[in-house]
Amino acid sequence: MAKPRVPMELQSKKVSKEERERRIQAENELVGDRSLLSTPPEHLREPEKEIYLELVKPLLHIKALANADREIIAICANAKYRMLQANELIEQYGLLVNKENTKTHQVELVENPAIKTFKTYEGIFNRNMTAIGMSASARSKFAANVDNEQKENKLNNLLSGLRG
């Protein structure tokens, strides 16, 4: 399966400055309206809305995100809320819980079902954060790209000063 396309501003792939600018401009033309991005969807519960705002705040600098991405961020907010709920159950009941075997009527220790729930929602959260380019690797690529751009701009300024 092909990898999801990552916005140009998050890519570390070596391309010419002109090609990078052309692709960023093309992405900006496709982005559309961003006016609702910082407003959580109405269908979320209050704790999920708080998580949505917590998640979207550091993403607002990404110019490739638009109103269409609200649902992905809402899915992430819901998944994180469910992870927190599952974590509370794990803390409350522990990693292992007692379960009665229906055949033998003996009590056995089994893994807390909340652990499986946590893993499920963690996968949903990670998949959707990756879809909008906010996995840990995407953030590190973005930081590297910003650093490279700053160095490139300094070099261009220096060279243009030498040229006269």
Side-chain angles (χ1 to χ4, degrees), residues 6 20 45 60-61 71 75-76 92 107 130 150 156-157:
V6 176
R20 180 176 294 278
R45 293 178 202 85
L60 291 174
H61 72 280
E71 203 53 44
I75 290 168
C76 290
Q92 183 177 355
V107 176
T130 300
Q150 289 173 346
N156 286 340
N157 290 339

Side-chain angles (χ1 to χ4, degrees), residues 15-93:
V15 293
S16 68
K17 184 176 181 179
E18 294 80 21
E19 174 69 8
R20 180 176 294 278
E21 288 172 359
R22 185 186 65 73
R23 288 177 59 185
I24 288 174
Q25 182 179 359
E27 287 173 1
N28 289 340
E29 290 171 5
L30 294 173
V31 167
D33 193 19
R34 294 173 49 102
S35 62
L36 298 175
L37 192 59
S38 58
T39 306
E42 289 300 315
H43 64 84
L44 295 177
R45 293 178 202 85
E46 280 308 311
E48 292 171 325
K49 287 180 181 180
E50 290 174 21
I51 294 169
Y52 176 95
L53 292 172
E54 175 188 307
L55 291 174
V56 81
K57 188 177 180 181
L59 302 178
L60 291 174
H61 72 280
I62 300 174
K63 296 175 189 96
L65 294 178
N67 290 345
D69 298 304
R70 285 176 74 212
E71 203 53 44
I72 294 174
I73 299 167
I75 290 168
C76 290
N78 175 267
K80 185 171 181 181
Y81 177 66
R82 300 292 183 199
M83 287 166 49
L84 292 171
Q85 286 180 316
N87 196 47
E88 285 177 15
L89 292 172
I90 294 167
E91 291 295 323
Q92 183 177 355
Y93 296 106

